[in-house]
Amino acid sequence: ASEDQALVDSVGRALFLAARNNLGLLHVNCNEYPQADQAYQEALEIRRDLAATNSQTYLPYVATTLINWAELSQKQENQLSLEQAKEALHILIPFVEWMPRAKKLVGDVIIILQAWKLDPKTFLLQHNLPLDLLQYARKGSFLTRFLSLFKRY
C-alpha cells in the first residue's frame, strides 16, 4: 500500500510540475515575466527533487525548465540566462546519444546563445563542453523557436 501511495505522490508531483512549467510558458506569452519567473522557479525546484530520486527520468525535465527559464531570462536581458543554458547543456550530455528530445533541447540552447550574439563553439570551449553538441544546432529564428515552446511539456 505504501508503494502505491508513493507512486501516486510521484505522479501527482510530476503533473503539478508540468502544470507549473506550462504556467510559466503562459505567463511569458502574456508578457507577465515576474509570474513566469516564479512558475519556472517552482517547477525547477520540484523537478530537481524528483531528479534526486530518479535522475534518468527527471533530469531531462530539469533541463527543459532551465531552457524555458533561460529563454525568458534572455528576453529580459538577464545574464542568468547563460548560467541556465550552461547547466542545461551539462545535464543533457549523457542523454544526447540516445534521447531525441535531448538533441532538440541542445538545439534550443544553441539558439539562446545565438540570441545573445555569442558564438556557440566559443561558449562550449569556455565551459568545457563537448564540441560535438554543435551537431544539434537547428535552423530557424529565435521567434520561431519561442513560438514552438507551446508544443513542449
Side-chain angles (χ1 to χ4, degrees):
S2 66
E3 286 182 25
D4 290 340
Q5 185 59 44
L7 178 62
V8 168
D9 290 346
S10 178
V11 169
R13 288 181 77 193
L15 290 172
F16 176 77
L17 72 88
R20 295 307 298 170
N21 188 64
N22 290 340
L23 184 60
L25 293 171
L26 178 64
H27 284 304
V28 168
N29 191 44
C30 295
N31 295 320
E32 298 169 344
Y33 299 149
Q35 295 91 332
D37 277 327
Q38 182 178 351
Y40 287 143
Q41 185 174 4
E42 291 172 6
L44 186 60
E45 184 178 317
I46 295 167
R47 285 182 169 179
R48 285 187 197 281
D49 287 347
L50 289 169
T53 61
N54 187 341
S55 61
Q56 281 294 108
T57 299
Y58 292 107
L59 274 178
Y61 291 104
V62 170
T64 298
T65 299
L66 283 166
I67 293 166
N68 288 346
W69 202 0
E71 289 171 337
L72 172 62
S73 297
Q74 191 282 326
K75 190 172 186 165
Q76 298 175 86
E77 298 182 7
N78 183 338
Q79 291 290 319
L80 178 62
S81 171
L82 297 174
E83 287 302 314
Q84 294 159 331
K86 179 177 75 171
E87 183 180 354
L89 287 174
H90 279 288
I91 289 169
L92 292 168
I93 290 169
F95 296 94
V96 293
E97 289 192 27
W98 61 272
M99 183 183 283
R101 189 168 136 253
K103 295 172 186 176
K104 178 187 175 301
L105 292 171
V106 169
D108 296 344
V109 173
I110 291 171
I111 290 172
I112 292 168
L113 298 176
Q114 292 167 336
W116 277 107
K117 309 273 190 256
L118 296 175
D119 174 43
K121 181 178 179 180
T122 302
F123 184 88
L124 295 177
L125 287 170
Q126 289 172 337
H127 298 288
N128 298 315
L129 290 157
L131 291 179
D132 62 344
L133 293 176
L134 292 172
Q135 69 183 304
Y136 306 114
R138 293 183 290 120
K139 294 181 179 167
S141 70
F142 187 69
L143 178 60
T144 301
R145 168 63 200 110
F146 181 74
L147 294 174
S148 75
L149 284 173
F150 296 97
K151 296 179 184 173
R152 191 189 303 160
Y153 40 126

